[in-house]
PDB file of all heavy atoms in Angstrom:
ATOM      1  N   ARG A 233     170.720  84.875  62.298  1.00 93.00           N
ATOM      2  CA  ARG A 233     171.331  83.918  61.375  1.00 93.00           C
ATOM      3  C   ARG A 233     172.501  83.218  62.063  1.00 93.00           C
ATOM      4  O   ARG A 233     172.809  81.982  61.757  1.00 93.00           O
ATOM      5  CB  ARG A 233     171.882  84.758  60.167  1.00 93.00           C
ATOM      6  CG  ARG A 233     172.434  83.941  59.208  1.00 93.00           C
ATOM      7  CD  ARG A 233     171.760  82.779  58.644  1.00 93.00           C
ATOM      8  NE  ARG A 233     172.332  82.063  57.536  1.00 93.00           N
ATOM      9  CZ  ARG A 233     172.181  80.788  57.380  1.00 93.00           C
ATOM     10  NH1 ARG A 233     171.290  80.007  58.134  1.00 93.00           N
ATOM     11  NH2 ARG A 233     172.821  79.980  56.390  1.00 93.00           N
ATOM     12  N   LEU A 237     173.148  79.178  62.561  1.00 94.00           N
ATOM     13  CA  LEU A 237     174.312  78.455  62.170  1.00 94.00           C
ATOM     14  C   LEU A 237     175.045  77.748  63.294  1.00 94.00           C
ATOM     15  O   LEU A 237     175.469  76.481  63.108  1.00 94.00           O
ATOM     16  CB  LEU A 237     175.195  79.345  61.531  1.00 94.00           C
ATOM     17  CG  LEU A 237     174.762  79.997  60.108  1.00 94.00           C
ATOM     18  CD1 LEU A 237     175.569  81.254  59.674  1.00 94.00           C
ATOM     19  CD2 LEU A 237     174.745  78.974  59.072  1.00 94.00           C
ATOM     20  N   LEU A 248     182.581  75.095  62.113  1.00 96.00           N
ATOM     21  CA  LEU A 248     182.129  76.151  61.345  1.00 96.00           C
ATOM     22  C   LEU A 248     182.900  77.391  61.635  1.00 96.00           C
ATOM     23  O   LEU A 248     183.011  77.733  62.913  1.00 96.00           O
ATOM     24  CB  LEU A 248     180.656  76.297  61.488  1.00 96.00           C
ATOM     25  CG  LEU A 248     180.059  77.645  60.996  1.00 96.00           C
ATOM     26  CD1 LEU A 248     179.925  77.427  59.450  1.00 96.00           C
ATOM     27  CD2 LEU A 248     178.541  77.768  61.427  1.00 96.00           C
ATOM     28  N   ILE A 249     183.230  78.091  60.724  1.00 95.00           N
ATOM     29  CA  ILE A 249     183.746  79.471  60.882  1.00 95.00           C
ATOM     30  C   ILE A 249     182.904  80.468  60.053  1.00 95.00           C
ATOM     31  O   ILE A 249     182.660  80.313  58.858  1.00 95.00           O
ATOM     32  CB  ILE A 249     185.320  79.521  60.461  1.00 95.00           C
ATOM     33  CG1 ILE A 249     185.800  80.964  60.902  1.00 95.00           C
ATOM     34  CG2 ILE A 249     185.520  79.147  59.148  1.00 95.00           C
ATOM     35  CD1 ILE A 249     187.239  81.043  60.842  1.00 95.00           C
ATOM     36  N   CYS A 250     182.449  81.631  60.791  1.00 94.00           N
ATOM     37  CA  CYS A 250     181.694  82.608  60.244  1.00 94.00           C
ATOM     38  C   CYS A 250     182.436  83.877  60.105  1.00 94.00           C
ATOM     39  O   CYS A 250     183.168  84.222  61.029  1.00 94.00           O
ATOM     40  CB  CYS A 250     180.398  82.865  60.926  1.00 94.00           C
ATOM     41  SG  CYS A 250     179.251  81.380  61.086  1.00 94.00           S
ATOM     42  N   PHE A 251     182.170  84.735  59.097  1.00 91.00           N
ATOM     43  CA  PHE A 251     182.881  85.982  58.887  1.00 91.00           C
ATOM     44  C   PHE A 251     181.703  87.023  58.856  1.00 91.00           C
ATOM     45  O   PHE A 251     180.971  87.033  57.845  1.00 91.00           O
ATOM     46  CB  PHE A 251     183.820  86.002  57.722  1.00 91.00           C
ATOM     47  CG  PHE A 251     184.855  85.087  57.770  1.00 91.00           C
ATOM     48  CD1 PHE A 251     184.955  83.908  57.340  1.00 91.00           C
ATOM     49  CD2 PHE A 251     186.128  85.671  58.458  1.00 91.00           C
ATOM     50  CE1 PHE A 251     186.085  82.932  57.541  1.00 91.00           C
ATOM     51  CE2 PHE A 251     187.264  84.790  58.582  1.00 91.00           C
ATOM     52  CZ  PHE A 251     187.184  83.485  58.115  1.00 91.00           C
ATOM     53  N   VAL A 252     181.549  88.041  59.770  1.00 91.00           N
ATOM     54  CA  VAL A 252     180.553  88.974  59.830  1.00 91.00           C
ATOM     55  C   VAL A 252     181.236  90.255  59.403  1.00 91.00           C
ATOM     56  O   VAL A 252     182.166  90.649  60.136  1.00 91.00           O
ATOM     57  CB  VAL A 252     179.888  88.974  61.139  1.00 91.00           C
ATOM     58  CG1 VAL A 252     178.904  90.098  61.226  1.00 91.00           C
ATOM     59  CG2 VAL A 252     179.272  87.695  61.479  1.00 91.00           C
ATOM     60  N   VAL A 395     183.405  79.189  65.283  1.00 96.00           N
ATOM     61  CA  VAL A 395     184.393  80.340  65.349  1.00 96.00           C
ATOM     62  C   VAL A 395     183.666  81.548  64.618  1.00 96.00           C
ATOM     63  O   VAL A 395     183.258  81.341  63.472  1.00 96.00           O
ATOM     64  CB  VAL A 395     185.692  80.155  64.726  1.00 96.00           C
ATOM     65  CG1 VAL A 395     186.496  81.507  64.614  1.00 96.00           C
ATOM     66  CG2 VAL A 395     186.578  79.197  65.586  1.00 96.00           C
ATOM     67  N   CYS A 397     184.077  85.288  63.402  1.00 92.00           N
ATOM     68  CA  CYS A 397     185.062  86.408  63.278  1.00 92.00           C
ATOM     69  C   CYS A 397     184.265  87.676  62.850  1.00 92.00           C
ATOM     70  O   CYS A 397     183.576  87.711  61.837  1.00 92.00           O
ATOM     71  CB  CYS A 397     186.059  85.999  62.132  1.00 92.00           C
ATOM     72  SG  CYS A 397     187.074  84.687  62.564  1.00 92.00           S
ATOM     73  N   TRP A 426     186.660  72.151  57.877  1.00 95.00           N
ATOM     74  CA  TRP A 426     185.748  73.273  58.469  1.00 95.00           C
ATOM     75  C   TRP A 426     184.918  73.834  57.340  1.00 95.00           C
ATOM     76  O   TRP A 426     185.445  74.105  56.211  1.00 95.00           O
ATOM     77  CB  TRP A 426     186.666  74.312  58.959  1.00 95.00           C
ATOM     78  CG  TRP A 426     187.151  74.032  60.331  1.00 95.00           C
ATOM     79  CD1 TRP A 426     187.911  72.990  60.741  1.00 95.00           C
ATOM     80  CD2 TRP A 426     186.899  74.640  61.699  1.00 95.00           C
ATOM     81  NE1 TRP A 426     188.181  72.961  62.100  1.00 95.00           N
ATOM     82  CE2 TRP A 426     187.473  74.063  62.671  1.00 95.00           C
ATOM     83  CE3 TRP A 426     186.059  75.861  61.945  1.00 95.00           C
ATOM     84  CZ2 TRP A 426     187.410  74.480  64.022  1.00 95.00           C
ATOM     85  CZ3 TRP A 426     185.989  76.299  63.223  1.00 95.00           C
ATOM     86  CH2 TRP A 426     186.694  75.596  64.278  1.00 95.00           C
ATOM     87  N   GLN A 427     183.622  74.023  57.694  1.00 93.00           N
ATOM     88  CA  GLN A 427     182.638  74.739  56.848  1.00 93.00           C
ATOM     89  C   GLN A 427     182.881  76.323  57.120  1.00 93.00           C
ATOM     90  O   GLN A 427     183.143  76.800  58.090  1.00 93.00           O
ATOM     91  CB  GLN A 427     181.214  74.432  57.151  1.00 93.00           C
ATOM     92  CG  GLN A 427     180.250  75.018  56.289  1.00 93.00           C
ATOM     93  CD  GLN A 427     178.840  74.700  56.626  1.00 93.00           C
ATOM     94  OE1 GLN A 427     178.490  74.354  57.752  1.00 93.00           O
ATOM     95  NE2 GLN A 427     177.934  74.638  55.621  1.00 93.00           N
ATOM     96  N   MET A 428     182.745  77.037  55.919  1.00 91.00           N
ATOM     97  CA  MET A 428     182.863  78.470  55.941  1.00 91.00           C
ATOM     98  C   MET A 428     181.527  79.199  55.626  1.00 91.00           C
ATOM     99  O   MET A 428     180.983  78.693  54.586  1.00 91.00           O
ATOM    100  CB  MET A 428     184.090  78.893  55.118  1.00 91.00           C
ATOM    101  CG  MET A 428     185.346  78.427  55.389  1.00 91.00           C
ATOM    102  SD  MET A 428     186.671  79.018  54.350  1.00 91.00           S
ATOM    103  CE  MET A 428     186.943  80.620  55.075  1.00 91.00           C
ATOM    104  N   CYS A 429     181.174  80.189  56.387  1.00 92.00           N
ATOM    105  CA  CYS A 429     179.991  80.915  55.985  1.00 92.00           C
ATOM    106  C   CYS A 429     180.372  82.394  56.030  1.00 92.00           C
ATOM    107  O   CYS A 429     180.738  82.897  57.178  1.00 92.00           O
ATOM    108  CB  CYS A 429     178.843  80.649  56.958  1.00 92.00           C
ATOM    109  SG  CYS A 429     177.225  81.296  56.341  1.00 92.00           S
ATOM    110  N   ILE A 430     180.558  82.987  54.978  1.00 88.00           N
ATOM    111  CA  ILE A 430     181.182  84.296  54.747  1.00 88.00           C
ATOM    112  C   ILE A 430     180.183  85.335  54.311  1.00 88.00           C
ATOM    113  O   ILE A 430     179.375  85.216  53.389  1.00 88.00           O
ATOM    114  CB  ILE A 430     182.302  84.164  53.652  1.00 88.00           C
ATOM    115  CG1 ILE A 430     183.350  83.033  54.043  1.00 88.00           C
ATOM    116  CG2 ILE A 430     182.958  85.506  53.405  1.00 88.00           C
ATOM    117  CD1 ILE A 430     184.334  82.787  53.043  1.00 88.00           C
ATOM    118  N   SER A 431     180.351  86.523  54.945  1.00 88.00           N
ATOM    119  CA  SER A 431     179.517  87.714  54.539  1.00 88.00           C
ATOM    120  C   SER A 431     179.788  87.991  53.011  1.00 88.00           C
ATOM    121  O   SER A 431     180.939  87.974  52.541  1.00 88.00           O
ATOM    122  CB  SER A 431     179.769  88.974  55.331  1.00 88.00           C
ATOM    123  OG  SER A 431     179.490  90.147  54.618  1.00 88.00           O
ATOM    124  N   SER A 432     178.761  88.119  52.339  1.00 82.00           N
ATOM    125  CA  SER A 432     178.805  88.435  50.843  1.00 82.00           C
ATOM    126  C   SER A 432     179.604  89.649  50.505  1.00 82.00           C
ATOM    127  O   SER A 432     180.150  89.905  49.469  1.00 82.00           O
ATOM    128  CB  SER A 432     177.477  88.467  50.147  1.00 82.00           C
ATOM    129  OG  SER A 432     176.680  89.405  50.773  1.00 82.00           O
ATOM    130  N   ARG A 451     185.314  76.747  47.283  1.00 80.00           N
ATOM    131  CA  ARG A 451     185.198  75.442  48.111  1.00 80.00           C
ATOM    132  C   ARG A 451     183.718  74.902  48.193  1.00 80.00           C
ATOM    133  O   ARG A 451     182.852  75.816  48.286  1.00 80.00           O
ATOM    134  CB  ARG A 451     185.867  75.563  49.659  1.00 80.00           C
ATOM    135  CG  ARG A 451     187.170  75.981  49.557  1.00 80.00           C
ATOM    136  CD  ARG A 451     187.713  76.457  51.049  1.00 80.00           C
ATOM    137  NE  ARG A 451     187.662  75.351  51.943  1.00 80.00           N
ATOM    138  CZ  ARG A 451     186.814  75.161  53.020  1.00 80.00           C
ATOM    139  NH1 ARG A 451     185.769  76.060  53.197  1.00 80.00           N
ATOM    140  NH2 ARG A 451     187.095  74.249  53.876  1.00 80.00           N
ATOM    141  N   ASP A 453     182.315  73.677  50.760  1.00 85.00           N
ATOM    142  CA  ASP A 453     181.927  74.022  52.009  1.00 85.00           C
ATOM    143  C   ASP A 453     181.810  75.332  52.427  1.00 85.00           C
ATOM    144  O   ASP A 453     182.010  75.857  53.611  1.00 85.00           O
ATOM    145  CB  ASP A 453     182.607  73.251  53.066  1.00 85.00           C
ATOM    146  CG  ASP A 453     182.172  71.742  53.223  1.00 85.00           C
ATOM    147  OD1 ASP A 453     181.087  71.553  52.786  1.00 85.00           O
ATOM    148  OD2 ASP A 453     182.944  70.909  53.648  1.00 85.00           O
ATOM    149  N   THR A 454     181.927  76.315  51.400  1.00 86.00           N
ATOM    150  CA  THR A 454     181.844  77.685  51.568  1.00 86.00           C
ATOM    151  C   THR A 454     180.589  78.302  51.055  1.00 86.00           C
ATOM    152  O   THR A 454     180.091  78.000  49.996  1.00 86.00           O
ATOM    153  CB  THR A 454     183.134  78.428  50.891  1.00 86.00           C
ATOM    154  OG1 THR A 454     184.246  77.995  51.345  1.00 86.00           O
ATOM    155  CG2 THR A 454     182.999  79.941  50.986  1.00 86.00           C
ATOM    156  N   ILE A 455     179.946  79.108  51.940  1.00 85.00           N
ATOM    157  CA  ILE A 455     178.554  79.807  51.677  1.00 85.00           C
ATOM    158  C   ILE A 455     178.904  81.295  51.859  1.00 85.00           C
ATOM    159  O   ILE A 455     179.298  81.718  52.830  1.00 85.00           O
ATOM    160  CB  ILE A 455     177.620  79.305  52.626  1.00 85.00           C
ATOM    161  CG1 ILE A 455     177.388  77.721  52.628  1.00 85.00           C
ATOM    162  CG2 ILE A 455     176.293  80.052  52.469  1.00 85.00           C
ATOM    163  CD1 ILE A 455     176.544  77.145  53.773  1.00 85.00           C
ATOM    164  N   LEU A 456     178.341  81.986  50.860  1.00 86.00           N
ATOM    165  CA  LEU A 456     178.346  83.448  50.914  1.00 86.00           C
ATOM    166  C   LEU A 456     176.946  83.893  51.333  1.00 86.00           C
ATOM    167  O   LEU A 456     175.808  83.375  50.746  1.00 86.00           O
ATOM    168  CB  LEU A 456     178.706  84.011  49.544  1.00 86.00           C
ATOM    169  CG  LEU A 456     179.907  84.003  48.990  1.00 86.00           C
ATOM    170  CD1 LEU A 456     180.272  84.697  47.700  1.00 86.00           C
ATOM    171  CD2 LEU A 456     180.948  84.480  49.959  1.00 86.00           C
ATOM    172  N   ASP A 457     176.786  84.625  52.404  1.00 87.00           N
ATOM    173  CA  ASP A 457     175.520  84.951  52.980  1.00 87.00           C
ATOM    174  C   ASP A 457     175.451  86.526  53.232  1.00 87.00           C
ATOM    175  O   ASP A 457     176.065  87.082  53.782  1.00 87.00           O
ATOM    176  CB  ASP A 457     175.391  84.210  54.403  1.00 87.00           C
ATOM    177  CG  ASP A 457     174.098  84.193  54.990  1.00 87.00           C
ATOM    178  OD1 ASP A 457     173.420  85.249  54.836  1.00 87.00           O
ATOM    179  OD2 ASP A 457     173.689  83.139  55.631  1.00 87.00           O
ATOM    180  N   SER A 459     173.095  88.046  54.871  1.00 89.00           N
ATOM    181  CA  SER A 459     172.654  88.387  56.184  1.00 89.00           C
ATOM    182  C   SER A 459     173.715  88.559  57.194  1.00 89.00           C
ATOM    183  O   SER A 459     173.548  88.975  58.347  1.00 89.00           O
ATOM    184  CB  SER A 459     171.565  87.373  56.739  1.00 89.00           C
ATOM    185  OG  SER A 459     172.216  86.178  56.819  1.00 89.00           O
ATOM    186  N   LEU A 460     175.032  88.171  56.865  1.00 90.00           N
ATOM    187  CA  LEU A 460     176.146  88.487  57.648  1.00 90.00           C
ATOM    188  C   LEU A 460     176.885  89.786  57.511  1.00 90.00           C
ATOM    189  O   LEU A 460     177.959  89.848  57.950  1.00 90.00           O
ATOM    190  CB  LEU A 460     177.083  87.354  57.566  1.00 90.00           C
ATOM    191  CG  LEU A 460     176.590  85.872  57.796  1.00 90.00           C
ATOM    192  CD1 LEU A 460     177.626  84.894  57.775  1.00 90.00           C
ATOM    193  CD2 LEU A 460     176.073  85.824  59.271  1.00 90.00           C
TER     194      LEU A 460
END
Side-chain angles (χ1 to χ4, degrees):
R233 179 57 178 150
L237 290 167
L248 169 72
I249 184 167
C250 296
F251 294 91
V252 179
V395 172
C397 293
W426 278 62
Q427 185 181 27
M428 304 181 75
C429 197
I430 300 174
S431 162
S432 56
R451 296 167 74 248
D453 281 338
T454 296
I455 301 169
L456 294 181
D457 194 324
S459 63
L460 296 182

